Amino acid sequence: MKAKRKAGVLSSLNRWFGRRGALSNELQAGREVLAAVDAGGLPLNPARINQIARDLGLEVSRSAAVEETVERIRAAVNRGMGGPCAK
């Protein structure tokens, strides 16, 4: 009986603290663009940034500043990953 209880506790702990699944394509694209921005400044293609933001579920105006959109992407990625994203 103790073995079953121990297995149940271990499986619960594994579900809570175990390895996370793979990131969604949208979150992965967001992380990649943030890494590129952090490494070397703003990207040259604002349409790509807007598309990544839209894929993450953000509403983005065509006239929105790229810097503002990047910060909104950063916030969305942080929310999607469940915590602060490393810069």
Side-chain angles (χ1 to χ4, degrees), residues 49-85:
I49 298 300
N50 289 348
Q51 185 59 48
I52 291 170
R54 287 186 188 102
D55 290 343
L56 287 168
L58 302 173
E59 292 184 22
V60 182
S61 167
R62 287 185 178 175
S63 62
V66 175
E67 297 88 1
E68 178 185 322
T69 305
V70 167
E71 290 308 312
R72 291 181 64 205
I73 290 172
R74 188 177 308 278
V77 168
N78 284 337
R79 283 191 308 270
M81 295 183 63
C85 178

Side-chain angles (χ1 to χ4, degrees), residues 7-66:
V9 170
L10 288 177
S11 66
S12 294
L13 288 174
N14 225 0
R15 277 194 311 268
W16 292 341
F17 301 111
R19 290 182 70 171
R20 303 269 183 206
L23 292 177
S24 68
N25 291 337
E26 295 84 8
L27 280 177
Q28 186 61 38
R31 284 188 65 189
E32 289 172 2
V33 78
L34 291 176
V37 166
D38 292 342
L42 292 175
L44 298 176
N45 189 356
R48 171 121 170 89
I49 298 300
N50 289 348
Q51 185 59 48
I52 291 170
R54 287 186 188 102
D55 290 343
L56 287 168
L58 302 173
E59 292 184 22
V60 182
S61 167
R62 287 185 178 175
S63 62
V66 175

